[in-house]
Amino acid sequence: MAKTMAINAGSSSLKWTLYEMPEEKALATGIVERIGLKDSVFTIEYGNDEKYEDVLDIDDHEVAVELLLKQLIELNVLESYDEIEGVGHRVVAGGEIFSESALIDDEVIEQIDSLIELAPLHNPANLTGIKAFKNVLPDITSVAVFDTSFHQTMPAVNYLYSLPYEYYEDYDARKYGAHGTSHQFVAERAAEMLDKPLEDLKIITAHLGNGASITAVENGESVDTSMGFTPLAGVTMGTRTGDIDASLIPYLMEKLELTDVQDMIDIFNNESGLKGISGISSDMRDLEEAEANGDERAEIALRIFEDRVRNYIGQYIVKMEGVDAIVFTAGIGENAPTTRANIMKNFKFMGIELDEELNDVRGVERVISTEDSAAEVLLIPTDEEIMIARDVEYFKNQQANN
């Protein structure tokens, strides 16, 4: 049977899912962590809740790919490498070059490399995964799926910053957004659940995890999104600031006696958000426990997170002149009923209301609004990997028909 792998490569990790296609049946999933370091952790989940785990030294991504494929055969998940007909790679930044997924060739690899400045932490790692699979399985269909592609439909009024226009023309300074694959998946799934054409709906999708973004989807297209030039902008996140006044950069650098602006950006990315405000953790579960025990800063962090998400939802309702559905997804969106309730309580005046009993759930796909709510509110677990696999299937079919 034909099989496809969906790959999300990090600088020292390789996360993957193996599908039987076009049935979209997940056969195995796993992650290789600490690549290039001692005691790399190699995990495969497969079959009927079976799990394989090993700890060994894995020098690089190519070695990780070779070990992964060999182990899938030893576990009888694969009979041979020939069963894998396609592989799809998540790539964070596609800039304005890629408005959709792309069949990977040497030119596409060069173009992804040229966009590293837009995602210096992510694109190099994504390229590493692409090259590793190319070396091990050179002849299969390889596809790059970009986090930013879904947002390329935004109009200029929503993606341009109020900077001298030549900064956009000369340096590509604009909003690109992120999490596009997730936003697209849950928007399409919401339309299916509501049994209405996606093109007829106004949907707000809230991808709330350690990284978080909100997107306005109108007529099936992204018209605005909260993340910006990089994934640092938008709502408060686990360790990221979200939107701030740019003047804080030189001000805080002087106070902290920093001379390298990258040190300041690192603080904004890794030491801020829920973690920075609370002083406890970036994990919502830890903060909810601390709040229950009377921790004031944990309470403030949670209220700030809810407020920033609520602000974007309200903004996008106005922008689209209404909303048919609001979707919660990703780690927090799927698993924090109290957070969902607190975000949505301010929309009761608009007739949008959660059903308390339906909302008291974690990770289960369902409508969570009342029957008479003015807009549907849905909980939809995201599945970026299946979107990647579907794009690979599309290109395989294109190649077969040519």
Side-chain angles (χ1 to χ4, degrees):
M1 299 293 290
K3 296 177 176 63
T4 290
M5 294 195 80
I7 305 297
N8 185 353
S11 59
S12 62
S13 66
L14 186 76
K15 184 180 178 183
W16 58 274
T17 302
L18 178 69
Y19 291 97
E20 186 175 288
M21 297 297 284
E23 294 81 3
E24 299 189 355
K25 178 182 178 182
L27 301 174
T29 187
I31 187 169
V32 187
E33 301 173 275
R34 293 178 53 83
I35 296 172
L37 304 171
K38 287 192 174 296
D39 297 330
S40 307
V41 182
F42 183 27
T43 306
I44 299 175
E45 296 179 12
Y46 66 103
N48 297 316
D49 296 324
E50 295 176 88
K51 186 174 182 178
Y52 168 88
E53 189 171 54
D54 195 7
V55 178
L56 67 166
D57 296 344
I58 299 176
D59 292 336
D60 55 41
H61 283 71
E62 188 169 338
V63 173
V65 172
E66 291 171 348
L67 287 172
L68 165 60
L69 295 176
K70 180 182 177 181
Q71 194 60 48
L72 288 175
I73 289 175
E74 291 187 7
L75 295 173
N76 294 317
V77 177
L78 290 175
E79 292 183 8
S80 75
Y81 294 173
D82 293 339
E83 292 182 69
I84 301 177
E85 296 185 359
V87 58
H89 297 269
R90 178 200 179 204
V91 180
V92 169
E96 291 190 323
I97 298 175
F98 298 102
S99 58
E100 56 187 19
S101 299
L103 193 64
I104 296 172
D105 56 20
D106 289 342
E107 181 182 5
V108 168
I109 289 174
E110 289 179 7
Q111 290 171 320
I112 294 171
D113 185 69
S114 74
L115 296 167
I116 281 177
E117 284 187 318
L118 303 184
L121 298 180
H122 297 92
N123 271 33
N126 303 151
L127 274 173
T128 298
I130 288 171
K131 292 174 181 178
F133 269 89
K134 275 286 190 183
N135 288 336
V136 178
L137 299 173
D139 299 323
I140 65 173
T141 301
S142 298
V143 177
V145 181
F146 300 91
D147 277 14
T148 53
S149 291
F150 183 59
H151 301 304
Q152 283 296 299
T153 52
M154 288 190 293
V157 70
N158 291 338
Y159 70 68
L160 283 177
Y161 292 117
S162 302
L163 294 167
Y165 191 77
E166 56 267 26
Y167 294 177
Y168 163 63
E169 293 180 304
D170 296 341
Y171 310 122
D172 302 318
R174 55 157 287 178
K175 177 191 288 190
Y176 291 103
H179 298 140
T181 307
S182 176
H183 289 294
Q184 183 178 3
F185 174 82
V186 297
E188 291 177 359
R189 182 62 191 138
E192 292 173 359
M193 291 174 66
L194 300 177
D195 196 24
K196 294 179 180 178
L198 180 61
E199 296 75 18
D200 295 342
L201 294 173
K202 299 174 181 178
I203 302 174
I204 295 171
T205 52
H207 178 108
L208 307 181
N210 190 52
S213 62
I214 320 298
T215 294
V217 182
E218 188 169 10
N219 304 323
E221 297 183 340
S222 170
V223 294
D224 205 355
T225 194
S226 60
M227 282 183 169
F229 179 69
T230 73
L232 181 57
V235 301
T236 300
M237 296 173 243
T239 62
R240 299 178 209 160
T241 60
D243 296 333
I244 60 167
D245 185 336
S247 296
L248 276 170
I249 296 175
Y251 175 80
L252 289 175
M253 286 184 67
E254 181 179 349
K255 298 295 183 183
L256 296 169
E257 299 182 352
L258 300 176
T259 57
D260 186 345
V261 69
Q262 187 58 50
D263 292 336
M264 194 74 254
I265 297 300
D266 289 344
I267 292 171
F268 288 167
N269 269 304
N270 302 314
E271 303 298 332
S272 302
L274 294 173
K275 178 183 177 181
I277 299 165
S278 69
I280 298 172
S281 173
S282 61
D283 193 304
M284 185 69 67
R285 293 164 294 189
D286 295 337
L287 299 187
E288 288 177 340
E289 181 179 351
E291 180 188 26
N293 291 328
D295 190 288
E296 185 176 346
R297 281 175 58 183
E299 180 184 0
I300 292 171
L302 291 170
R303 299 297 87 78
I304 287 175
F305 177 82
E306 295 156 1
D307 177 77
R308 304 307 190 263
V309 173
R310 188 186 302 120
N311 287 350
Y312 269 99
I313 292 175
Q315 176 188 151
Y316 291 162
I317 291 174
V318 173
K319 185 181 291 285
M320 295 192 294
E321 299 183 39
V323 65
D324 298 300
I326 299 169
V327 182
F328 287 94
T329 193
I332 297 171
E334 296 170 25
N335 297 292
T338 300
T339 299
R340 292 193 299 264
N342 287 343
I343 290 169
M344 292 307 303
K345 66 183 181 182
N346 288 61
F347 296 99
K348 287 184 180 180
F349 82 97
M350 301 175 66
I352 304 173
E353 190 167 357
L354 289 188
D355 182 298
E356 185 175 338
E357 184 174 340
L358 291 176
N359 182 52
D360 189 19
V361 68
R362 300 174 187 271
V364 177
E365 181 181 272
R366 63 165 54 164
V367 175
I368 56 175
S369 49
T370 60
E371 288 188 9
D372 59 352
S373 178
E376 305 276 8
V377 184
L378 303 96
L379 189 165
I380 302 178
T382 192
D383 195 339
E384 296 166 279
E385 287 76 19
I386 196 59
M387 293 294 283
I388 293 172
R390 288 172 183 172
D391 279 2
V392 175
E393 195 70 10
Y394 168 79
F395 280 99
K396 282 170 53 183
N397 292 335
Q398 291 287 101
Q399 290 174 317
N401 293 330
N402 288 338

